Amino acid sequence: MEAATMAGVPGIDADCGGACACATCQVYVDAIWLPLLPPVGEGESSMLEFAANRQDGSRLACQIRLAPNLDGLTVTTPEFQF
């Protein structure tokens, strides 16, 4: 989430600044990358319940820590966030 906001990626609002309290940094993770991410935690799951247009690959960007094994990670953003 921080990398996306610093790079000005459209669609990552990140209203809460990465506190996992708003779901405005929802991204859709490409299916091939999902097994490499840690499981969705309870807080993230609760926030995703409020996310617009949630899909199977929905994750909160603030909960994805970039690591060498995620080099090349592909995500897309929803049409809108709220």
Side-chain angles (χ1 to χ4, degrees), residues 37-46 48 54 56 58-60 63:
L37 297 177
V40 175
E42 185 177 322
E44 182 180 7
S45 180
S46 294
L48 283 169
R54 183 178 182 178
D56 289 340
S58 289
R59 294 295 303 261
L60 297 183
Q63 299 302 295

Side-chain angles (χ1 to χ4, degrees), residues 1-81:
M1 184 250 359
E2 289 174 355
T5 56
M6 289 176 22
V9 174
I12 304 289
D13 297 338
D15 290 339
C16 72
C20 193
C22 72
T24 61
C25 67
Q26 177 187 200
V27 294
Y28 304 134
V29 177
D30 191 277
I32 64 169
W33 292 97
L34 287 173
L36 298 175
L37 297 177
V40 175
E42 185 177 322
E44 182 180 7
S45 180
S46 294
M47 285 295 101
L48 283 169
E49 288 179 23
F50 298 103
N53 302 314
R54 183 178 182 178
Q55 298 179 1
D56 289 340
S58 289
R59 294 295 303 261
L60 297 183
C62 68
Q63 299 302 295
I64 299 173
R65 292 198 174 263
L66 297 182
N69 70 318
L70 296 178
D71 186 23
L73 175 68
T74 304
V75 301
T76 55
T77 57
E79 186 174 339
F80 62 89
Q81 305 263 17

